[in-house]
Amino acid sequence: MAFSADELRVLRRALANALHPAPLPDEDVRNALRLARSVDEAVREAGRLRAFLLDDLARYREALPGSLAGYLDLLGDALADGYDPQADDLAALRTLRDHPAADRLLTRCQILAERSVRARLARVSQATASAPAASRARLLALPGGRAAEEPRPKPPTPAPAERPVPKPSEVFPPRRRPVPPPPPEERVAG
């Protein structure tokens, strides 16, 4: 992400104020809020772009082996952006081992996947080691336990509909019975 000179000036003022709190002029507050909105929008756009690229990668993976070159390029770009290869990626690359670029990418993906698994296991082991042993033995489902003390969230109330839901009789009006033809003696010959 790149900032313009004006945005850097606003950011510098906001950081200086965070270090040495003092009242800010209204214009500085407006500029800081505008910069925050711009950064939020850039982050949302980056998330949308990442989701699109990962969907595109999945489409190319499903179209293998016909989309080999495109898939390898997209996977390489995704790995450069910090993507952790999934089991589907590893399986797809294993089927393409005879291609030298796919074999190199498979080696790289296996190393990254192993690092990712080790990092997750380390986080889990740190979380369980730092948690007290009593917290693992506590049964929250029993009445009178800690769960009874904690307030339970209320279920969300549904938002009022913009239009009322029509009744079936309004959507499907009753059928009108056909009027029987008049008896033959009432017919007038003309």
Side-chain angles (χ1 to χ4, degrees):
M1 184 180 305
F3 291 104
S4 69
D6 290 334
E7 290 171 333
L8 284 175
R9 195 172 13 264
V10 169
L11 185 60
R12 186 180 46 200
R13 284 186 198 136
L15 290 173
N17 190 44
L19 292 174
H20 305 289
L24 285 174
D26 289 341
E27 185 176 337
D28 286 350
V29 171
R30 281 192 298 275
N31 288 339
L33 290 174
R34 192 175 318 116
L35 178 62
R37 283 192 299 272
S38 296
V39 169
D40 288 343
E41 178 60 30
V43 168
R44 282 192 299 273
E45 186 62 31
R48 285 191 292 267
L49 178 62
R50 181 175 173 83
F52 172 77
L53 291 176
L54 293 180
D55 287 344
D56 207 21
L57 180 66
R59 282 191 293 276
Y60 273 81
R61 183 176 50 236
E62 291 169 4
L64 285 173
S67 63
L68 176 68
Y71 175 70
L72 295 178
D73 289 342
L74 283 174
L75 184 59
D77 292 345
L79 292 174
D81 287 340
Y83 172 69
D84 285 332
Q86 305 298 313
D88 293 340
D89 296 314
L90 294 172
L93 289 172
R94 283 186 190 110
T95 62
L96 302 169
R97 267 197 177 146
D98 55 338
H99 192 275
D103 193 37
R104 284 192 302 271
L105 210 50
L106 174 62
T107 304
R108 182 176 170 198
C109 285
Q110 286 173 332
I111 292 169
L112 291 173
E114 185 177 335
R115 282 185 197 160
S116 176
V117 168
R118 287 179 191 266
R120 282 189 297 229
L121 288 175
R123 282 193 301 267
V124 168
S125 66
Q126 285 176 351
T128 56
S130 64
S135 67
R136 283 186 243 141
R138 182 178 61 226
L139 296 176
L140 297 177
L142 296 176
R146 189 176 221 181
E149 298 170 9
E150 296 174 359
R152 294 186 181 182
K154 295 179 182 177
T157 57
E162 294 178 14
R163 298 185 324 178
V165 178
K167 296 181 212 172
S169 63
E170 294 172 343
V171 176
F172 304 107
R175 292 187 181 180
R176 299 182 185 209
R177 296 191 176 141
V179 177
E185 55 270 355
E186 291 181 11
R187 292 186 196 162
V188 177

